[in-house]
């Protein structure tokens, strides 16, 4: 991928009349910024706005896979978070997990429900955050196993990643509709259980969910938001980019609508393109 650099503002005119023969103060030339610098600034502004909208330290988006709790660098205790990866069969779910955990391994087919974990040292190197990672294989055929990783014990620090295969557009809608409905029902049941035991935690989850949109969002009454961070990842982007432009436009608009309607984030991934995660 070529890094595009935006044109900087033209430098001011440094010329002056010989008659005056005096020094002219030279204005500083604005530093040229590349698109990556602008993206970093936009991300920092978004995180700042989110923190202002939340009454407490809620989970927020990590660059790619949205791990709540893990980014609490200044916490004096270890944080345990859970990520649940589901999606279409052969949709690069294992590749995404290996990339997230920074493991240089060859992906293997997933059998039913598999578990792994990762650790990360905090600033003082004495404490470690733990990421519990679950992967559901077999596409939507084994969606009843969703109740295993989604429990009231972990729902406060839970992130769900749904992978759809962009190279097979005919499977995208079926995959999203089935998994989103199953996840939504399970999360609602778990939150109802949590509300009986700890109402404040349950209310905080719902409040943080709504805070992602804000109280004045024009679509707030028409959304069906799932009260845990959801990320939809379109995989095999290297094949998708060669599709007909009109076909790509329809698929992209559909994914954007589904993500918006359920309060999810949308990104793309290709294991064959290093810069695409």
């Amino acid at each position: 991928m070529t890094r595009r650099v935006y044109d900087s503002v033209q430098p001011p005119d440094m010329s002056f009349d010989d008659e005056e023969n005096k020094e002219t103060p030279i204005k500083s030339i604005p530093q040229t910024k590349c698109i990556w610098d602008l993206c970093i600034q936009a991300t920092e502004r978004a995180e700042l706005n989110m923190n202002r909208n939340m009454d407490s330290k809620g989970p927020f988006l990590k660059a790619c896979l949205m791990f709540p709790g893990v980014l609490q660098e200044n916490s004096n205790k270890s944080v345990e978070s859970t990520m649940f990866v589901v999606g279409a069969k052969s949709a690069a779910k294992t590749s995404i997990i290996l990339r997230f955990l920074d493991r240089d391994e060859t992906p293997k087919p997933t059998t039913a429900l598999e578990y792994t974990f990762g650790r990360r040292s905090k600033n003082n190197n004495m404490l470690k955050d733990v990421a519990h990672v679950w992967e559901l294989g077999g596409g939507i055929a084994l969606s009843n196993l969703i109740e295993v990783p989604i429990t009231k014990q972990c729902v406060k620090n839970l992130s769900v990643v749904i992978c759809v295969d962009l190279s097979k557009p005919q499977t995208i809608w079926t995959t999203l509709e089935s998994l989103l409905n199953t996840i939504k029902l399970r999360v609602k049941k778990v939150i109802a259980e949590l509300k009986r035991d700890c109402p404040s935690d349950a209310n905080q989850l719902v409040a943080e969910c709504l805070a992602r949109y804000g109280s004045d969002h024009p679509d707030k009454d028409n959304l069906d938001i799932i009260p845990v961070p959801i990320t939809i990842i379109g995989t095999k982007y290297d094949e998708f980019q060669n599709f007909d432009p009109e076909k790509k436009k329809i698929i992209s608009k559909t994914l954007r609508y589904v993500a918006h309607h359920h309060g999810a984030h949308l990104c793309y991934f290709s294991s064959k393109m290093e810069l695409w995660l």
Side-chain angles (χ1 to χ4, degrees):
M1 179 183 295
T2 302
R3 298 178 61 173
R4 294 178 50 197
V5 178
Y6 289 105
D7 294 332
S8 61
V9 180
Q10 294 297 324
D13 186 6
M14 300 300 177
S15 62
F16 55 87
D17 296 330
D18 294 335
E19 296 177 358
E20 297 181 358
N21 194 23
K22 61 180 180 179
E23 293 184 358
T24 302
I26 300 177
K27 299 180 180 180
S28 60
I29 302 175
Q31 184 178 4
T32 302
K33 293 184 178 180
C34 70
I35 190 171
W36 307 110
D37 296 326
L38 298 175
C39 288
I40 291 174
Q41 290 182 358
T43 301
E44 291 174 347
R45 286 196 299 268
E47 291 178 356
L48 179 60
N49 292 333
M50 182 174 291
N51 288 334
R52 289 175 177 174
N53 290 333
M54 291 184 179
D55 296 329
S56 59
K57 294 181 179 179
F60 60 94
L61 195 62
K62 184 182 177 182
C64 177
L65 292 178
M66 299 57 174
F67 241 132
V70 173
L71 295 180
Q72 299 176 12
E73 290 283 359
N74 297 324
S75 175
N76 293 324
K77 61 180 181 179
S78 297
V79 177
E80 292 193 22
S81 299
T82 300
M83 182 173 73
F84 185 30
V85 183
V86 298
K89 190 175 182 180
S90 301
K93 299 185 293 295
T94 305
S95 297
I96 290 174
I97 293 174
L98 292 176
R99 182 78 64 87
F100 177 78
L101 296 175
D102 197 21
R103 295 179 182 174
D104 187 13
E105 302 176 10
T106 302
K108 299 178 181 178
T110 303
T111 304
L113 187 65
E114 294 190 0
Y115 168 82
T116 187
F117 69 93
R119 289 187 181 135
R120 188 188 69 167
S121 298
K122 301 178 84 71
N123 287 337
N124 54 18
N125 291 323
M126 297 296 292
L127 299 173
K128 292 183 181 291
D129 290 332
V130 180
H132 303 282
V133 183
W134 295 83
E135 179 186 358
L136 180 64
I140 62 177
L142 302 175
S143 57
N144 58 314
L145 294 177
I146 282 177
E147 62 184 30
V148 175
I150 302 181
T151 65
K152 67 178 181 180
Q153 288 77 20
C154 73
V155 71
K156 291 183 292 183
N157 284 328
L158 171 71
S159 294
V160 179
V161 176
I162 303 177
C163 300
V164 294
D165 189 345
L166 296 176
S167 68
K168 300 176 181 178
Q170 68 277 11
T171 67
I172 292 178
W173 183 262
T174 303
T175 300
L176 286 175
E177 184 180 34
S178 176
L179 291 175
L180 283 170
N181 287 336
T182 305
I183 291 168
K184 178 174 61 178
L185 292 175
R186 178 58 183 172
V187 169
K188 286 185 176 180
K189 182 178 179 180
V190 167
I191 290 180
E193 296 174 358
L194 183 63
K195 188 172 290 187
R196 291 195 296 267
D197 299 335
C198 188
S200 60
D201 286 346
N203 293 334
Q204 180 182 343
L205 271 176
V206 176
E208 290 173 354
C209 165
L210 298 176
R212 295 201 296 268
Y213 281 86
S215 58
D216 57 347
H217 197 284
D219 296 337
K220 65 177 183 177
D221 295 329
N222 300 317
L223 302 177
D224 187 14
I225 303 177
I226 300 176
V228 296
I230 304 286
T231 303
I232 298 173
I233 300 182
T235 63
K236 301 184 181 179
Y237 187 85
D238 55 298
E239 298 183 39
F240 175 73
Q241 67 177 352
N242 297 322
F243 283 9
D244 178 76
E246 190 63 28
K247 189 174 184 179
K248 289 194 295 183
K249 183 178 180 181
I250 294 174
I251 295 173
S252 298
K253 281 188 173 182
T254 301
L255 290 175
R256 289 172 60 189
Y257 167 77
V258 173
H260 176 70
H261 183 70
H262 291 89
H265 301 279
L266 173 65
C267 56
Y268 298 94
F269 172 82
S270 172
S271 60
K272 298 180 180 180
M273 303 170 68
E274 187 65 25
L275 296 178
W276 278 95
L277 175 56

